[in-house]
Amino acid sequence: MDGETNHNGGLSAPDEKTAALARAFDSAWERFIATEGAEADTDANRKRLASKIVALSRAGEADEDRLAQSGLIHLSVLAEAARLGSQPPAPIDGIGTSQQATHAQAFSPQTVAAMSAALEQCVETLPLQTPSSALQFLSARILEQASRGEQDPERLSRHALEALRNR
């Protein structure tokens, strides 16, 4: 991020808070692109990540690692929800896709927010160095429950953590 213009017309160094937000963004962005691939490198994803990190900072979070991890989780949940929403529903028990089309995964902003909050709650209960495979498992369980209509972050989180323990 750029610093502010000083009284001599030059750029001054950004303040420490701005620098910390930039480092958190860069950390989350690098991991997101490493996981999702170059096709995820879009302005929309950058704006989503920046908005999440800034919102968390305004809510009082100051730890760079937590900002980066929360931003990464948020963006990963959104990416997974988009993937699920773009998949045609599979026929189940002889029901054709025309009848199942009403069950296609298109998540409302409220549901996406609930999924993101649920995953953040899960992460808060786990050790800091949780393997990405565990986070992917938790995300999948949360998405599974949300696709069944669950929108309560507490219940989504509890179900995902129980599934992880029973795995």
Side-chain angles (χ1 to χ4, degrees), residues 32 36 40 45 48 72-86 112 143:
F32 178 70
E36 296 294 327
N45 280 335
R48 288 181 188 111
L72 175 61
I73 289 167
H74 177 73
L75 214 49
S76 296
V77 168
L78 293 175
E80 186 64 22
R83 274 191 293 280
L84 284 175
S86 67
V112 171
L143 288 164

Side-chain angles (χ1 to χ4, degrees), residues 36-114:
E36 296 294 327
E39 64 277 356
D41 189 350
T42 66
D43 286 339
N45 280 335
R46 287 177 184 274
K47 288 177 185 175
R48 288 181 188 111
L49 178 59
S51 293
K52 182 64 174 180
I53 289 173
V54 168
L56 290 167
S57 175
R58 286 183 177 154
E61 182 61 63
D63 183 81
E64 284 179 44
D65 292 333
R66 289 184 63 85
L67 287 168
Q69 184 68 19
S70 295
L72 175 61
I73 289 167
H74 177 73
L75 214 49
S76 296
V77 168
L78 293 175
E80 186 64 22
R83 274 191 293 280
L84 284 175
S86 67
Q87 295 175 357
I92 298 175
D93 297 333
I95 298 174
T97 57
S98 62
Q99 286 180 310
Q100 241 187 322
T102 59
H103 302 302
Q105 301 306 307
F107 294 113
S108 70
Q110 294 84 4
T111 303
V112 171

Side-chain angles (χ1 to χ4, degrees), residues 128-145:
L128 278 178
Q129 297 301 323
T130 303
S132 62
S133 60
L135 293 176
Q136 290 170 343
F137 180 84
L138 291 168
S139 296
R141 297 298 76 75
I142 289 169
L143 288 164
E144 178 182 296
Q145 288 301 309

